[in-house]
Amino acid sequence: MKLHEQKFELLNHLHNKRNLSSELPFYVESLLYKVSSDVTLYPVENVRDLGVKVSSDLSWSKHVGDMVTKARSKLSWVFSVFKTRDKVVMMTLYKSLVRSLLEYCCPLWDPVKTTEIQLLEGVQRTFTSRIGGLYSLNYWERLAHLKLMSLQRRRERYIILMMWKTYHNVVPNSCSIEFVETSRYGTKAVVPSLSKSSSMRNQTLYDSSFAVKGSKLWNKVPSEVKAEKTFASFKVSLSKFLALIPDNPPVSGYTCSWSNSLVDYTPSRWSDI
């Protein structure tokens, strides 16, 4: 099969950008890649792959920013075209036209940085503030009134659903996640280890990876929920369980006693629900 060389793109993931070798002559040439005698690839900062923008620093900031811009553009279009602010109509438009833009492939890029979580949550916050009859409520109150999950909680729910599929071999176990059976907690996922000497940057990449976050979230789900045999029954049980947990996502101007992530929910809190 002949490949189109002009459509190739090159991403360089540098472990240490402060490496002294970057000061050496011809260092830039070492980052190039020759596809053929006629085509040489030069490093780029971002590459779009199947609708997701991957950055050379392995962060999702560019992808998150572009998604929010696109979603807010769609938000403005909805507000300008549809004059009604009826709750049913507004929620139908939001779920079908706006929210779907913010959740595409989210188990892969789910952010851990508070600023990015706030950026995403701000879209839903803006939309719900325009629904008739809810003007006097704050964002957290609007979520409760509409029985709506925060985008942060929905992304974690999608990750847990993907973990169920991984455990039951519905999808390939691409991250080689290991599961062990325990008498007390049911099926648990083994969280990959990280060297204590790793840099802060590597720690952030570690925390945001699917293998780590997915395993931690899976281990927070009660054993009776994880024991569900079918995907449909698991989704129902998981949703009922998540509905019992306070959902106060981080948003600008609001103060919450915890990160709102299930990963940070302490055992003492589990006994309260």
Side-chain angles (χ1 to χ4, degrees):
M1 180 177 65
K2 185 174 178 59
L3 301 177
H4 198 307
E5 298 175 346
Q6 300 294 338
K7 291 187 176 181
F8 287 6
E9 292 184 281
L10 174 64
L11 272 183
N12 284 328
H13 301 298
L14 303 180
H15 177 67
N16 184 3
K17 290 188 176 183
R18 297 182 180 180
N19 195 313
L20 294 178
S21 62
S22 61
E23 305 297 329
L24 296 176
F26 310 112
Y27 172 74
V28 175
E29 283 77 359
S30 68
L31 302 178
L32 306 182
Y33 184 85
K34 290 186 70 67
V35 180
S36 64
S37 58
D38 300 323
V39 179
T40 299
L41 299 183
Y42 294 84
V44 295
E45 290 297 319
N46 303 281
V47 170
R48 184 181 179 88
D49 185 19
L50 298 177
V52 178
K53 283 196 173 180
V54 184
S55 301
S56 59
D57 61 357
L58 298 179
S59 74
W60 304 104
S61 300
K62 175 65 175 174
H63 180 67
V64 170
D66 288 351
M67 272 195 312
V68 169
T69 300
K70 189 175 182 179
R72 285 198 174 277
S73 177
K74 182 67 70 174
L75 206 70
S76 300
W77 179 84
V78 169
F79 289 150
S80 63
V81 172
F82 298 89
K83 300 304 180 184
T84 179
R85 294 296 180 260
D86 176 75
K87 181 172 70 174
V88 175
V89 176
M90 289 282 281
M91 289 306 300
T92 301
L93 291 170
Y94 172 69
K95 292 177 180 179
S96 59
L97 299 177
V98 180
R99 191 171 68 182
S100 56
L101 298 175
L102 298 170
E103 294 183 333
Y104 173 72
C105 207
C106 61
L108 173 64
W109 54 259
D110 181 37
V112 295
K113 295 180 181 178
T114 302
T115 53
E116 293 177 358
I117 296 174
Q118 290 178 338
L119 194 64
L120 289 161
E121 213 68 48
V123 179
Q124 183 164 272
R125 180 184 181 184
T126 299
F127 195 94
T128 55
S129 68
R130 304 288 289 273
I131 297 177
L134 304 182
Y135 305 120
S136 61
L137 304 180
N138 64 41
Y139 179 51
W140 294 346
E141 292 170 340
R142 293 197 297 272
L143 290 179
H145 180 84
L146 296 168
K147 296 182 180 180
L148 196 64
M149 282 187 188
S150 66
L151 295 176
Q152 179 190 23
R153 183 62 51 82
R154 283 179 60 84
R155 289 193 300 272
E156 293 191 338
R157 176 177 175 272
Y158 282 127
I159 292 175
I160 296 173
L161 293 176
M162 185 60 69
M163 287 293 292
W164 187 94
K165 290 182 178 181
T166 301
Y167 173 65
H168 288 275
N169 297 316
V170 178
V171 297
N173 189 354
S174 304
C175 297
S176 301
I177 298 173
E178 298 181 12
F179 294 91
V180 296
E181 300 295 334
T182 64
S183 57
R184 183 175 180 182
Y185 301 107
T187 305
K188 295 195 68 176
V190 179
V191 181
S193 59
L194 179 70
S195 173
K196 294 182 179 179
S197 60
S198 295
S199 65
M200 186 63 68
R201 176 176 178 272
N202 287 342
Q203 180 69 52
T204 301
L205 294 175
Y206 169 83
D207 291 335
S208 62
S209 66
F210 178 82
V212 172
K213 184 177 291 186
S215 298
K216 289 181 177 180
L217 288 171
W218 177 261
N219 294 340
K220 292 290 186 177
V221 178
S223 57
E224 58 270 22
V225 177
K226 291 185 287 189
E228 295 286 358
K229 298 301 182 181
T230 66
F231 186 62
S233 61
F234 178 74
K235 286 177 65 176
V236 173
S237 297
L238 179 62
S239 296
K240 290 180 179 179
F241 166 67
L242 294 178
L244 300 174
I245 305 171
D247 189 9
N248 300 321
V251 286
S252 180
Y254 291 66
T255 302
C256 186
S257 59
W258 64 301
S259 69
N260 197 56
S261 173
L262 298 178
V263 171
D264 299 325
Y265 225 55
T266 61
S268 61
R269 293 183 183 274
W270 292 120
S271 61
D272 294 337
I273 65 174

